[in-house]
Amino acid sequence: MPCKELFTGRAGDLESRLREIREAKGWSQGELARKLGVSRQTINAVETDKYDPSLPLALRMSKLFGMPVCDIFIDHWQPQEDAE
């Protein structure tokens, strides 16, 4: 799936792998939040799919983890076919 399609959907269309990736690094939510310059509550909301991250935040996560954004977040959005 192309990364450029990642942020075209509505909130809830993304599945976050953030918790899995963070835990593999051995970081707490608080540690990750400090590294990214956000609150621990923001990290929790992204991990529990209550909040889709902004593009700048997703890009920071990508740089921090050394992986493409589309490996951190899975987009389930599908285009609807036009009814004619």
Side-chain angles (χ1 to χ4, degrees), residues 36 56-69 72:
L36 293 170
L57 178 55
L59 291 173
R60 278 188 240 146
M61 291 175 181
S62 173
K63 288 179 184 177
L64 182 63
F65 292 123
M67 62 178 54
V69 171
I72 302 170

Side-chain angles (χ1 to χ4, degrees), residues 8-77:
T8 58
R10 298 174 314 277
D13 289 334
L14 294 180
E15 176 186 338
S16 173
R17 292 186 55 233
L18 185 59
R19 175 176 285 148
E20 168 190 344
I21 296 164
R22 173 184 59 77
E23 288 177 348
K25 294 276 191 185
W27 297 339
S28 69
Q29 286 182 343
E31 288 172 313
L32 178 58
R34 281 188 295 281
K35 291 175 186 293
L36 293 170
V38 299
S39 69
R40 186 202 56 77
Q41 291 82 359
T42 296
I43 299 302
N44 181 269
V46 172
E47 287 186 352
T48 57
D49 296 322
K50 293 178 182 164
Y51 171 74
D52 289 343
S54 66
L55 182 55
L57 178 55
L59 291 173
R60 278 188 240 146
M61 291 175 181
S62 173
K63 288 179 184 177
L64 182 63
F65 292 123
M67 62 178 54
V69 171
C70 54
D71 286 351
I72 302 170
F73 301 99
I74 301 161
D75 185 12
H76 293 289
W77 179 83

